[in-house]
């Protein structure tokens, strides 16, 4: 009994020390939530998307396996999952106060040796800045007071053919790397193209404003609402969508939404005391 009580007390002390360390080292943190809806498929129930959330290192990442590999009998979702697993391994192996997302992605890419390819987006919060490394058409949006103030550019070789990491594709040198200033109250939405192809920016702004007015700005709830909205829009057979407008700009005609895997990670930028 004494040993058990002693261990419990030590665990509480260590936990308290860890919390105090975070409070003294960080002025802002990401309060995180996520939601994933794989495209309905009997052959690939897990879909092609993968992601990770590392609250300790305030780092997140996602990847979207390129579906065209299926024509060669290859599950690109496996590549995406292995890439994200290797990102987490590299992240914990470094165990540094300041995370370099480009270095994490480079190491993960070198260790991901299976066939396939995927987009990738790795984001870390350091002090009052987001350090973003992005490859392809997954990406990040930053909202302030309900309005979009930043959206990562789409990287693609041609329409519907994004930059993609893979041994027979692109490497991390093509990544777009940016540093974005943030402040308390900002909302970060990270997603695969299943989100961005099916939900207009003004739709996202409305969702964020409504939830904020109702006092329901929980990251998990916002991620769920956005993912379900994307799924609903993806099933519409006619009319405009971000995907159809992007196609039209390339001289191609499409109609309605685009069924796809949908991954959404939401981060609410807050002072540490708000979530610890």
């Amino acid at each position: 009994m004494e040993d058990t009580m002693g261990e419990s007390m030590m665990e509480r002390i260590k936990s308290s020390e860890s919390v105090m360390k975070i409070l003294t080292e960080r002025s802002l943190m990401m309060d995180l939530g996520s939601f994933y809806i794989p495209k309905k498929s009997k052959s690939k129930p897990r879909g092609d998307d993968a992601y990770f959330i590392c609250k300790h290192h305030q780092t997140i990442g996602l990847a979207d396996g390129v579906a065209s590999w299926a024509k060669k009998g290859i599950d690109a979702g496996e590549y995406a999952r292995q890439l994200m697993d290797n990102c987490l391994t590299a992240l914990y192996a470094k165990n540094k106060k300041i995370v370099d997302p480009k270095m994490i992605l480079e190491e993960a890419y070198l260790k991901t040796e299976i066939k396939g390819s995927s987009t990738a987006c790795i984001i870390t919060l350091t002090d009052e800045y987001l350090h973003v490394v992005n490859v392809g058409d997954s990406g990040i949006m930053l909202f302030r007071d309900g309005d979009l103030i930043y959206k990562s550019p789409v990287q693609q070789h041609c329409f519907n053919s994004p930059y993609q990491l893979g041994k027979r594709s692109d490497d991390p040198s093509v990544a777009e790397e940016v540093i974005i200033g943030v402040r308390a109250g900002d909302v970060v939405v990270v997603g695969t193209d299943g989100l961005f192809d099916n939900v207009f920016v003004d739709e996202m702004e409305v969702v964020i404003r409504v939830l904020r007015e109702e006092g329901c700005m929980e990251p998990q709830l916002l991620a769920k609402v956005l993912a379900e909205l994307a799924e609903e829009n993806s099933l519409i057979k006619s009319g405009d969508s971000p995907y159809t407008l992007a196609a039209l700009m390339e001289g191609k005609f499409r109609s309605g939404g685009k069924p796809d895997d949908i991954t959404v990670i939401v981060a609410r930028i807050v002072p540490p005391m708000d979530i610890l």
Side-chain angles (χ1 to χ4, degrees), residues 53-272:
I53 290 177
C54 182
K55 295 181 180 180
H56 177 74
H57 289 290
Q58 287 288 281
T59 302
I60 56 180
L62 54 74
D64 178 2
V66 177
S68 58
W69 281 98
K71 298 175 183 177
K72 299 180 180 180
I74 295 170
D75 181 358
E78 287 298 327
Y79 183 93
R81 286 185 283 274
Q82 189 174 117
L83 182 69
M84 291 296 97
D85 285 346
N86 287 335
C87 281
L88 262 181
T89 299
L91 186 60
Y92 278 102
K94 295 293 181 185
N95 198 30
K96 293 182 177 180
K97 180 181 176 181
I98 298 178
V99 175
D100 183 341
K102 183 70 175 293
M103 186 178 296
I104 296 298
L105 186 59
E106 287 172 344
E107 292 191 12
Y109 166 79
L110 291 174
K111 292 180 179 179
T112 306
E113 299 181 346
I114 62 173
K115 291 181 179 180
S117 61
S118 77
T119 67
C121 185
I122 310 296
I123 301 169
T124 191
L125 175 66
T126 303
D127 296 325
E128 297 177 354
Y129 297 91
L130 290 176
H131 190 170
V132 181
V133 174
N134 190 52
V135 177
D137 56 5
S138 297
I140 173 178
M141 288 184 174
L142 176 63
F143 296 85
R144 181 167 294 160
D145 299 323
D147 297 321
L148 177 73
I149 64 169
Y150 176 79
K151 181 183 185 300
S152 57
V154 172
Q155 294 178 302
Q156 57 183 9
H157 297 288
C158 58
F159 177 69
N160 215 28
S161 179
Y163 285 17
Q164 53 201 266
L165 299 178
K167 298 307 180 186
R168 297 183 181 180
S169 304
D170 301 305
D171 62 50
S173 67
V174 305
E176 177 90 12
E177 188 170 8
V178 296
I179 294 177
I180 311 166
V182 293
R183 64 190 190 198
D186 286 353
V187 174
V188 180
V189 175
V190 186
T192 53
D193 64 336
L195 171 66
F196 301 126
D197 281 343
N198 290 298
V199 182
F200 286 106
V201 170
D202 58 355
E203 291 180 289
M204 295 190 199
E205 290 175 333
V206 168
V207 169
I208 291 171
R209 288 170 188 160
V210 168
L211 290 182
R212 186 178 61 178
E213 289 171 2
E214 293 180 352
C216 301
M217 277 302 294
E218 292 297 324
Q220 186 72 30
L221 175 60
L222 178 54
K224 181 176 185 291
V225 171
L226 290 176
E228 290 179 343
L229 176 60
E231 181 184 38
E232 180 181 340
N233 289 353
S234 75
L235 301 177
I236 297 174
K237 300 298 183 183
S238 62
D240 290 335
S241 66
Y243 176 71
T244 63
L245 297 185
L248 192 60
M249 291 181 65
E250 299 294 329
K252 302 177 184 298
F253 179 76
R254 301 286 188 274
S255 184
K258 182 191 175 191
D260 202 350
D261 303 305
I262 301 162
T263 298
V264 182
I265 303 175
V266 169
R268 190 170 57 101
I269 307 299
V270 298

Side-chain angles (χ1 to χ4, degrees), residues 17-34:
E17 289 175 347
S18 177
V19 169
M20 290 306 298
K21 185 177 180 181
I22 291 173
L23 286 172
T24 56
E25 290 182 351
R26 292 186 177 275
S27 58
L28 293 174
M29 293 187 69
M30 292 191 291
D31 185 14
L32 293 155
S34 62

